[in-house]
Amino acid sequence: MQGFVFDVETHMPFLIIGVISGALAFGLLLLALVPVIRRKRNASMAKGSMSVAASFAVLLLGVIVVYLLAHDGLLAYLVGELMGFLVGWIVLACVLVAR
């Protein structure tokens, strides 16, 4: 990674796709979490574990695809994926605190 330079034309599409992928993975977690937060359903270890596994699968599949197809954009993709996932958690925390 010596001499890494962020080239907007090369890395921005990977960053954007990573943000979308991270948000999608967080959305899968949110599908299992929202009914529990709204107290419409009791927490279930099986459903929670399945949603974590599905979220992890989306994140891992995205990394594998980018690694195989465009190795040069992997770091930008990972940064975007992390941003999308963490922003989802931050927004959820802010919404819950505001309630």
Side-chain angles (χ1 to χ4, degrees):
M1 287 288 167
Q2 293 176 345
F4 176 75
V5 176
F6 184 78
D7 182 25
V8 174
E9 294 175 0
T10 305
H11 295 107
M12 192 56 76
F14 293 105
L15 188 69
I16 293 170
I17 292 170
V19 168
I20 293 169
S21 176
L24 177 68
F26 180 74
L28 291 174
L29 282 175
L30 204 59
L31 286 174
L33 197 57
V34 167
V36 175
I37 292 172
R38 291 184 179 169
R39 303 199 193 282
K40 293 184 178 182
R41 183 175 66 196
N42 290 334
S44 167
M45 186 65 111
K47 290 179 184 176
S49 297
M50 286 175 33
S51 69
V52 168
S55 177
F56 179 74
V58 167
L59 295 173
L60 184 63
L61 183 65
V63 169
I64 291 171
V65 167
V66 171
Y67 179 78
L68 292 175
L69 297 180
H71 187 68
D72 293 339
L74 184 61
L75 184 60
Y77 177 80
L78 286 171
V79 169
E81 202 175 57
L82 181 64
M83 285 172 35
F85 198 76
L86 289 179
V87 166
W89 278 113
I90 291 168
V91 168
L92 177 64
C94 290
V95 167
L96 290 177
V97 167
R99 284 175 42 174

